[in-house]
Amino acid sequence: MRTPAGVSAFPPPAAKPLPKLAIIAGGGELPALVIQACRESGQPFFVLALEGQAEQRYIGDAPHFWCRLGAAAQGEKILRDNGTEEVVFVGKVRRPSLKELRPDWRALKVMVKATVRSLGDDGLLRAIMREFEAGGAKVRAPHELLTSLLAVEGAYGRVKPDRQGRIDIVRGATVARAMGGLDIGQAVVVQQGIVLGVEAIEGTDALIARAGALQREGPRGVLVKVPKPGQERRIDLPAIGAETVEKVAQAGLGGIAIEAGGALVIDRAKVAARADALGVFVFGVAAGAAAPAGP
Amino acid sequence: MRTPAGVSAFPPPAAKPLPKLAIIAGGGELPALVIQACRESGQPFFVLALEGQAEQRYIGDAPHFWCRLGAAAQGEKILRDNGTEEVVFVGKVRRPSLKELRPDWRALKVMVKATVRSLGDDGLLRAIMREFEAGGAKVRAPHELLTSLLAVEGAYGRVKPDRQGRIDIVRGATVARAMGGLDIGQAVVVQQGIVLGVEAIEGTDALIARAGALQREGPRGVLVKVPKPGQERRIDLPAIGAETVEKVAQAGLGGIAIEAGGALVIDRAKVAARADALGVFVFGVAAGAAAPAGP
């Protein structure tokens, strides 16, 4: 398991024992980083690893139990038996089909409450969060536990967006925020003022590849990722890493813009090094800024 | 050239000679339908066929001149020499790169006015329209000349959207209208409440193929196309035809929803026949309806 430098813990260790944290883990490496943060801060934890979503290599030897997404009653019992008081949802959760889901009575109840058929992409997760809260658990955001990964303002490497790039970032952020408000994607690609692509459920990698192929000559396009507004931040702050940088460069785009405080940057040293090596920018824009500052 | 039945003329023939219409023609068969409508109504016309965009087979033997998109001064002179008083933009115009465009001084002036680099996809066309209006020409909408192609309410064939389909249509229309307001695409695909894909510049065909592949089990997805708000209707009402029906069926989607009065349906008899043969619906929703009526 990778142990990136600079993962800090929050809250800091205290005399009073910290509440036990249930880590409900989906795909990707973020669950590993939350586990590591708990270990560093001394916060007790237990991992509920979602079958078909979480990856063993990112759970390692942490105390955990594998559970189907649809087995809500079982999951609830496991967490109760383990005495968890707080809960965090971390990692990618691919939305399963109803058949894959095989919901138990408990899961069905949540789904009915959520009237899942007319909800947006995050509707079901929001409903699950509300259930935990109704049961007395405190829902934590991954970024509360991973404060050192929060995006900062400015360039992560030596490359910076030029004037056209900054104009494209502003347009992209406007569009991406509107999309987020509609509970759709969080990412768009803009080139020379034109929106080349908008992310829905195909994921950011597919968007990057498609938009790269649609570019025209001249200044290169920019991938812009912003958080969804309001509550959604607790679930799903956009995350980027060195791999994102590589895909953007491969697709021929000019760089990545994220919102300072509104994205997780996994292993910033590696991100900056790859960006420099590949000649693309990774730029943190102040939240709510009309335009990123620049020369 | 295909001559679909039911293409009516507007305005009707009158004693007073009709003003001469400049048809600025892009790709697809719509220019042919406008030419036919002019012939039927007796309105004199002249076609400015855009190089690399318009197709000879849809211009036929109509009086025309081929002109580069960037050769605005030449285009203006041709239309002046031909005594046109009205103008209609019809057919798809792929946005060229600056190099392909090779704008002359006249085109450059329009582009500078439009500060084209920070505009949305239709910004340049809007600027061109304003130039024509400033020069005293009346800008006509294609659908004013093709009233019989305007989408009507209800099902075009025997297949109708079911309850889930109707819910998806409402969600799709909401999202597509928001996208249109941001000057992006006009089409989205929704399945079981989830937005599978959003159109940017890749075009509706690419959206259909991508979204089809992202479908999950259960009720099939719906392609929803709505017009952009306000002025944009004059340029670019979405159009569907039998080919669209075939692509939707091929991708495994369940149907197409359009807005009554807000889309052009090319050859409705053929559209209905293909929809019936392939088991998909084509459904016109009342503009501004909260939900399409149903059984």
Side-chain angles (χ1 to χ4, degrees), chain A residues 95-97 99 117-121 164 167 171 175 178-179 182-184 192-198 200-202 210 214 216-217, chain B residues 95-97 99 117-121 164 167 171 175 178-179 182-184 192-198 200-202 210 214 216-217:
Chain A
R95 193 187 157 111
S97 69
K99 195 174 151 192
R117 297 195 140 204
S118 63
L119 282 173
D121 309 0
Q164 181 65 55
I167 293 172
R171 169 109 174 108
V175 173
M179 302 299 300
L182 290 163
D183 203 1
I184 309 176
Q192 298 165 34
I194 305 293
V195 178
L196 296 186
V198 173
I201 64 154
E202 73 275 27
R210 174 172 91 240
L214 290 166
R216 49 208 70 208
E217 308 159 62
Chain B
R95 192 188 157 109
S97 70
K99 195 174 150 192
R117 297 195 138 201
S118 62
L119 282 174
D121 308 1
Q164 181 64 56
I167 293 172
R171 169 110 174 105
V175 172
M179 302 300 301
L182 289 163
D183 203 1
I184 308 176
Q192 297 165 36
I194 305 292
V195 178
L196 297 185
V198 173
I201 64 155
E202 72 275 28
R210 174 172 92 240
L214 289 167
R216 50 208 70 209
E217 306 161 64

Side-chain angles (χ1 to χ4, degrees), chain A residues 96-141:
Chain A
S97 69
L98 203 60
K99 195 174 151 192
E100 266 184 290
L101 189 60
R102 285 186 289 130
D104 64 12
W105 62 269
R106 185 70 187 89
L108 268 175
K109 198 174 142 195
V110 177
M111 288 168 69
V112 169
K113 276 195 196 173
T115 56
V116 65
R117 297 195 140 204
S118 63
L119 282 173
D121 309 0
D122 285 344
L124 186 55
L125 263 175
R126 271 201 303 271
I128 295 171
M129 271 176 43
R130 274 195 299 269
E131 285 298 306
F132 272 99
E133 284 170 341
K138 189 181 170 196
V139 178
R140 305 288 305 270

Side-chain angles (χ1 to χ4, degrees), chain A residues 3-286:
Chain A
T3 44
V7 174
S8 80
F10 179 86
K16 187 169 169 274
L18 288 161
K20 192 163 184 179
L21 177 72
I23 301 172
I24 302 188
E29 64 193 307
L30 281 175
L33 300 176
V34 170
I35 290 168
Q36 190 193 342
C38 285
R39 283 177 166 148
E40 285 175 5
S41 69
Q43 178 164 22
F45 67 93
F46 183 83
V47 181
L48 201 66
L50 297 176
E51 274 178 27
Q53 313 270 1
E55 295 161 68
Q56 180 61 57
R57 61 182 165 146
Y58 294 127
I59 308 296
D61 58 357
H64 70 276
F65 187 88
W66 286 93
C67 186
R68 284 196 308 108
L69 193 55
Q74 184 189 30
E76 232 174 17
K77 186 177 182 310
I78 301 280
L79 294 183
R80 207 166 40 235
D81 292 351
N82 275 279
T84 55
E85 298 164 61
E86 296 188 340
V87 62
V88 65
F89 297 86
V90 63
K92 281 176 267 190
V93 176
R94 194 178 40 78
R95 193 187 157 111
S97 69
L98 203 60
K99 195 174 151 192
E100 266 184 290
L101 189 60
R102 285 186 289 130
D104 64 12
W105 62 269
R106 185 70 187 89
L108 268 175
K109 198 174 142 195
V110 177
M111 288 168 69
V112 169
K113 276 195 196 173
T115 56
V116 65
R117 297 195 140 204
S118 63
L119 282 173
D121 309 0
D122 285 344
L124 186 55
L125 263 175
R126 271 201 303 271
I128 295 171
M129 271 176 43
R130 274 195 299 269
E131 285 298 306
F132 272 99
E133 284 170 341
K138 189 181 170 196
V139 178
R140 305 288 305 270
H143 63 263
E144 288 172 22
L145 301 152
L146 302 168
T147 45
S148 67
L149 302 190
L150 275 177
V152 294
E153 274 185 58
Y156 272 72
R158 282 188 304 272
V159 189
K160 288 182 179 63
D162 62 9
R163 187 170 170 276
Q164 181 65 55
R166 294 197 308 273
I167 293 172
D168 288 346
I169 290 171
V170 172
R171 169 109 174 108
T174 305
V175 173
R177 284 192 191 114
M179 302 299 300
L182 290 163
D183 203 1
I184 309 176
Q186 301 170 299
V188 301
V189 174
V190 181
Q191 183 195 26
Q192 298 165 34
I194 305 293
V195 178
L196 296 186
V198 173
E199 181 186 358
I201 64 154
E202 73 275 27
T204 307
D205 291 352
L207 168 69
I208 292 170
R210 174 172 91 240
L214 290 166
Q215 283 190 106
R216 49 208 70 208
E217 308 159 62
R220 295 184 292 167
V222 185
L223 172 69
V224 183
K225 287 194 95 164
V226 303
K228 290 189 178 181
Q231 281 285 90
E232 280 60 70
R233 292 202 175 212
R234 282 200 293 181
I235 307 171
D236 199 17
L237 222 46
I240 65 157
E243 218 184 298
T244 323
V245 173
E246 276 155 21
K247 284 188 172 130
V248 159
Q250 236 165 48
L253 299 176
I256 302 171
I258 45 181
E259 192 179 291
L264 296 173
V265 179
I266 298 165
D267 200 343
R268 60 179 297 171
K270 197 171 165 195
V271 162
R274 293 307 291 150
D276 286 347
L278 297 166
V280 299
F281 64 80
V282 175
F283 200 82
V285 184

